[in-house]
Amino acid sequence: MKNRAISLSTLLFSLVLILAACSNSRAPGSSTAGQPAATTAAADPLPSWNDGPAKQAILDFVKTTTDKSNSKFVPSEDRIATFDQDGTTWVEQPIYSQVLFMFDRVAELAPQHPEWKTKPPFKAIVTGDKEAMAKFTLKDIEVLAMATHTGMTTDAFQTIVKDWWAKAKHPRFDRPYSEMVYQPMLELMKYLRDNGYRTYIVTGGGQDFVRTYAQQVYGIPPEQIIGSALDTQYEYNKEGQGILMRDPKLLLNNNGVGKAEDIYLFIGKHPRAAFGNTEGDREMLEYTHASGGASLEMLVLHDDATREYAYGPAQGLPDTKVGTFTQALYDEAKAKGWTVISMKNDWKQIFSWEK
Amino acid sequence: MKNRAISLSTLLFSLVLILAACSNSRAPGSSTAGQPAATTAAADPLPSWNDGPAKQAILDFVKTTTDKSNSKFVPSEDRIATFDQDGTTWVEQPIYSQVLFMFDRVAELAPQHPEWKTKPPFKAIVTGDKEAMAKFTLKDIEVLAMATHTGMTTDAFQTIVKDWWAKAKHPRFDRPYSEMVYQPMLELMKYLRDNGYRTYIVTGGGQDFVRTYAQQVYGIPPEQIIGSALDTQYEYNKEGQGILMRDPKLLLNNNGVGKAEDIYLFIGKHPRAAFGNTEGDREMLEYTHASGGASLEMLVLHDDATREYAYGPAQGLPDTKVGTFTQALYDEAKAKGWTVISMKNDWKQIFSWEK
């Protein structure tokens, strides 16, 4: 697999340089376009979606593929839907939640590491030096990632993430991350599941990280989370019981081509529906499109700076290093009949708590 | 993960040296102990099992873990049962089915490779030189494996295996491999599934190989097959569609420690029941035992030369390089309360076609 040898840093964190700046942040609470789901018909499985080509594409796909008399019928064992996470099912701006976890974890561990006060790159975080943080190199990020993600058992890491998760809040919206999920995507997941589709998260983020909360947030069990993964090492603890230690070595870089490769590794077949929002989702959508049968490919375009964020650079939206949606990807989508979801126009309500 | 860098050869084929000899083969059709399932009570979920400690251990485990009032109750999301394949769910003697596939495939490809007539190690197979085959080195086996398992798309490989599968027969019993599966294990899988357990195959064999027939043979879908896996490479075909090419590089060596590590990679939690028969299953059973709750660990001891094969060397049975069950593993099982299944005593019927 391409790029399997690269470091963990490139996995999630290659764009962290903008962390300190966070210049894309916008004022919270300025929602105006949101409409409560209750205003739509009770029978509507997608009440947070406005009528339009995106919603219609979903309804048509489900109708077509679950109708036995239709030539595009998809048998239940092949009904697989894969969702990118960051920027597709929840907010990824101003920076990925897992990067915030990494920085919070360094701060938490700092008392046990007095040497970090003077040792880069830890020093920048411990002393709150945003200028230095803005200059982090990929190597710096890799050092930080390995210090926070490896060297413990898999069980211990799970506990660490759960503890962080219980108190972490989004820097702009000041809400727990469980509330930063997109209501239309939750409805879409449920609608697909209600029609026999198995929903998977296929994320560039850490598989173990996402698995700690995915059941709670998305209703998706651990075995249906495919993500970037570190090597583990089987060892014995003092009681002689088998344990798995997290190794500082990347086993799966689940981004770009890695998403197609890992979907095959984990599931053994093409998805029939795939949802993403960046260059890193291109091959997942292509591989879905290549199933040879009916398929649905959708890309979320963040064009709503008021209710969420606006970035591309596709369609003239502001450029970003977090969740880049290029014009080339947009053009490929149009050429191949993939649907681009406009957050501004297609989503009546983005978050469940919107008034 | 330990041994991840080793070649594909060690994966499945390290024991192939005995192939030409096949000295353990015994006369077919000499079944006497088999009893048709119909003679047992209709309500018995395990009619091919004789009453005894092994059958009782299964019944007790299921009763305990599905009873909400029991302190050892296991919630449905944690009901995971993992089965080794070769020697646990079907016959592995005189040699693994996948090795037979490899040799058959070399013979089939030979007309397209006239150079193989004089080029070792292919020459030995093409000319039927059993003496030379008996002297194959690990390097030879690796060359053969790569020539037969890589360089094609994942879809093409699936077709190749399916075609082989449709006509391959066991050398001693002269029956299709679909009939070489152990009836008691099929009953056990169904019984566990009927009680909310998800059944997985966790095999040292090739994941893609087993996935081609597992639904038909075991009723287990591709995503619940965890096996040794080659790297794949995402590319585009002439039509510009995304395809996956099989690379001559081992990604997952799903044997020994690899089984525990890959169970965690794919499922994210400990199994509660695990079934194996060799040294390569030790860590899977240990990891199951380490769940912290109720668990069931079982090892199949091949002690029935009449109806199947007899090999160990545990308990003084003949030694073998295919499916080695050491005395040390036997002793660990006894010390930890794992159940050893005697094929001779615990299985009333081994194959569905036994009279």
Side-chain angles (χ1 to χ4, degrees):
Chain A
M1 303 180 182
K2 280 178 196 164
N3 300 326
R4 288 287 151 132
I6 64 170
S7 71
L8 182 63
S9 61
T10 59
L11 157 61
L12 260 183
F13 310 133
S14 59
L15 311 168
V16 73
L17 308 183
I18 53 76
L19 186 270
C22 288
S23 57
N24 285 335
S25 291
R26 279 152 184 111
S30 53
S31 168
T32 54
Q35 299 293 330
T39 62
T40 58
D44 184 353
L46 303 171
S48 297
W49 294 71
N50 286 316
D51 290 336
K55 182 172 184 172
Q56 199 57 49
I58 297 166
L59 295 171
D60 289 348
F61 171 75
V62 169
K63 187 180 177 190
T64 299
T65 60
T66 58
D67 174 3
K68 276 194 178 175
S69 69
N70 194 300
S71 62
K72 293 187 174 176
F73 175 74
V74 174
S76 60
E77 65 267 25
D78 291 335
R79 292 187 200 162
I80 291 161
T82 55
F83 292 79
D84 167 59
Q85 179 184 248
D86 296 304
T88 298
T89 59
W90 75 2
V91 177
E92 66 186 342
Q93 295 282 357
I95 192 66
Y96 308 114
S97 58
Q98 195 169 353
V99 175
L100 292 181
F101 162 75
M102 184 171 73
F103 287 110
D104 287 348
R105 185 70 185 151
V106 166
E108 193 169 332
L109 290 174
Q112 300 164 41
H113 295 273
E115 74 279 10
W116 285 359
K117 283 182 191 165
T118 54
K119 186 181 174 185
F122 304 96
K123 180 185 173 186
I125 300 170
V126 175
T127 62
D129 184 349
K130 290 198 171 187
E131 199 173 331
M133 288 166 73
K135 291 178 186 166
F136 276 160
T137 63
L138 288 183
K139 182 67 189 165
D140 291 333
I141 301 299
E142 183 182 343
V143 169
L144 294 168
M146 292 305 167
T148 52
H149 284 72
T150 74
M152 69 289 281
T153 67
T154 52
D155 288 349
F157 182 72
Q158 209 167 61
T159 302
I160 291 167
V161 176
K162 279 182 180 165
D163 289 348
W164 176 82
W165 174 260
K167 59 192 176 195
K169 289 190 174 183
H170 187 274
R172 169 179 158 190
F173 295 100
D174 196 32
R175 286 178 178 270
Y177 270 91
S178 58
E179 296 182 16
M180 300 317 299
V181 66
Y182 305 136
Q183 181 65 21
M185 295 310 256
L186 290 181
E187 292 169 7
L188 172 56
M189 286 179 172
K190 182 175 185 305
Y191 180 51
L192 288 170
R193 287 195 292 260
D194 286 348
N195 282 279
Y197 279 85
R198 271 163 292 144
T199 51
Y200 284 77
I201 295 283
V202 179
T203 175
Q207 182 168 282
D208 293 351
F209 187 85
V210 178
R211 280 177 171 177
T212 60
Y213 56 75
Q215 182 71 53
Q216 175 198 335
V217 172
Y218 304 115
I220 299 183
E223 66 271 21
Q224 287 171 217
I225 307 300
I226 303 171
S228 295
L230 292 172
D231 220 355
T232 58
Q233 185 85 29
Y234 185 82
E235 296 180 7
Y236 297 95
N237 64 14
K238 286 177 189 171
E239 293 75 36
Q241 287 212 315
I243 55 170
L244 293 171
M245 294 296 294
R246 293 170 59 83
D247 261 8
K249 187 181 156 214
L250 189 63
L251 179 68
L252 301 178
N253 175 21
N254 196 51
N255 200 37
V257 296
K259 288 201 175 187
E261 294 162 354
D262 295 338
I263 285 170
Y264 178 74
L265 179 69
F266 278 74
I267 312 177
K269 52 181 74 167
H270 298 264
R272 292 311 188 97
F275 308 89
N277 76 305
T278 72
E279 288 294 304
D281 301 313
R282 178 195 297 274
E283 289 82 0
M284 175 169 74
L285 269 63
E286 289 175 348
Y287 190 63
T288 302
H289 193 68
S291 77
S295 64
L296 176 67
E297 298 82 12
M298 303 186 90
L299 289 164
V300 177
L301 184 68
H302 294 258
D303 57 358
D304 192 331
T306 306
R307 293 188 296 167
E308 203 242 12
Y309 293 92
Y311 52 101
Q315 298 299 92
L317 291 163
D319 202 358
T320 178
K321 290 184 176 179
V322 175
T324 310
F325 190 146
T326 62
Q327 189 61 39
L329 181 63
Y330 189 93
D331 293 342
E332 181 174 350
K334 290 297 171 188
K336 293 186 172 171
W338 301 349
T339 303
V340 175
I341 300 165
S342 161
M343 291 184 82
K344 188 172 184 177
N345 299 320
D346 289 316
W347 287 358
K348 194 179 294 178
Q349 179 164 358
I350 294 180
F351 301 111
S352 64
W353 42 266
E354 278 178 20
K355 301 296 178 199
Chain B
M1 303 183 183
K2 279 177 196 163
N3 301 325
R4 287 288 151 132
I6 65 169
S7 70
L8 183 63
S9 63
T10 58
L11 157 60
L12 259 186
F13 309 133
S14 61
L15 312 167
V16 75
L17 307 183
I18 54 77
L19 185 270
C22 287
S23 58
N24 284 336
S25 290
R26 277 149 185 113
S30 54
S31 167
T32 54
Q35 298 293 331
T39 62
T40 58
D44 184 354
L46 302 171
S48 297
W49 293 71
N50 287 316
D51 291 336
K55 183 172 183 171
Q56 199 56 50
I58 297 167
L59 296 171
D60 289 349
F61 171 76
V62 169
K63 188 179 176 191
T64 300
T65 59
T66 58
D67 174 3
K68 276 194 177 174
S69 69
N70 195 301
S71 63
K72 293 186 173 177
F73 175 74
V74 174
S76 61
E77 65 267 25
D78 291 335
R79 291 187 200 164
I80 291 161
T82 56
F83 292 79
D84 168 58
Q85 178 183 248
D86 295 304
T88 298
T89 60
W90 76 2
V91 178
E92 66 185 342
Q93 294 284 357
I95 191 66
Y96 308 114
S97 58
Q98 195 169 352
V99 175
L100 293 181
F101 162 75
M102 186 171 72
F103 287 110
D104 288 348
R105 184 72 185 149
V106 166
E108 194 170 331
L109 290 173
Q112 301 164 41
H113 295 273
E115 76 279 11
W116 284 359
K117 283 182 191 164
T118 55
K119 186 180 176 185
F122 303 98
K123 181 185 172 187
I125 299 170
V126 175
T127 62
D129 183 348
K130 290 198 170 187
E131 201 173 327
M133 287 166 75
K135 291 177 185 168
F136 276 160
T137 64
L138 288 183
K139 181 67 188 165
D140 291 332
I141 301 299
E142 183 182 344
V143 169
L144 294 167
M146 292 304 167
T148 53
H149 283 72
T150 72
M152 70 288 281
T153 66
T154 52
D155 288 348
F157 182 72
Q158 209 167 61
T159 302
I160 291 166
V161 176
K162 279 183 180 166
D163 289 348
W164 175 83
W165 174 260
K167 59 191 177 197
K169 290 190 173 182
H170 188 275
R172 168 179 160 190
F173 296 101
D174 196 33
R175 286 178 177 269
Y177 269 91
S178 57
E179 296 182 16
M180 300 316 299
V181 65
Y182 305 137
Q183 182 63 22
M185 294 310 255
L186 290 180
E187 292 168 6
L188 173 56
M189 285 178 172
K190 182 175 184 305
Y191 180 51
L192 288 169
R193 287 195 290 260
D194 287 347
N195 282 280
Y197 279 85
R198 269 163 294 145
T199 51
Y200 284 76
I201 295 283
V202 179
T203 174
Q207 182 167 283
D208 293 350
F209 187 85
V210 179
R211 281 177 171 178
T212 59
Y213 56 76
Q215 181 71 53
Q216 175 199 333
V217 173
Y218 304 115
I220 299 182
E223 66 270 21
Q224 285 169 220
I225 308 300
I226 302 172
S228 294
L230 293 172
D231 220 355
T232 57
Q233 184 84 29
Y234 185 82
E235 296 179 7
Y236 297 95
N237 64 12
K238 286 177 188 170
E239 293 75 37
Q241 288 212 315
I243 55 171
L244 292 171
M245 295 297 293
R246 292 169 60 82
D247 261 9
K249 188 183 156 212
L250 190 63
L251 178 69
L252 302 178
N253 176 21
N254 195 53
N255 200 35
V257 296
K259 289 201 176 187
E261 294 162 354
D262 295 338
I263 285 168
Y264 177 75
L265 179 69
F266 278 74
I267 312 177
K269 50 180 75 166
H270 297 263
R272 292 312 187 96
F275 308 89
N277 76 307
T278 72
E279 288 295 303
D281 302 313
R282 179 195 296 275
E283 289 82 359
M284 175 169 74
L285 269 64
E286 289 175 348
Y287 189 62
T288 302
H289 193 68
S291 76
S295 64
L296 176 68
E297 299 81 13
M298 303 187 90
L299 289 164
V300 177
L301 184 68
H302 294 258
D303 57 358
D304 192 331
T306 306
R307 295 188 296 166
E308 203 242 11
Y309 293 92
Y311 52 100
Q315 298 299 93
L317 290 163
D319 202 358
T320 179
K321 289 184 176 177
V322 175
T324 311
F325 190 146
T326 63
Q327 189 61 41
L329 181 63
Y330 189 94
D331 293 343
E332 180 173 349
K334 291 295 170 189
K336 292 186 172 171
W338 302 349
T339 303
V340 175
I341 299 165
S342 160
M343 288 185 84
K344 189 173 183 176
N345 300 320
D346 289 316
W347 287 359
K348 193 179 294 179
Q349 180 165 356
I350 294 180
F351 301 111
S352 63
W353 42 266
E354 277 178 20
K355 301 295 176 200

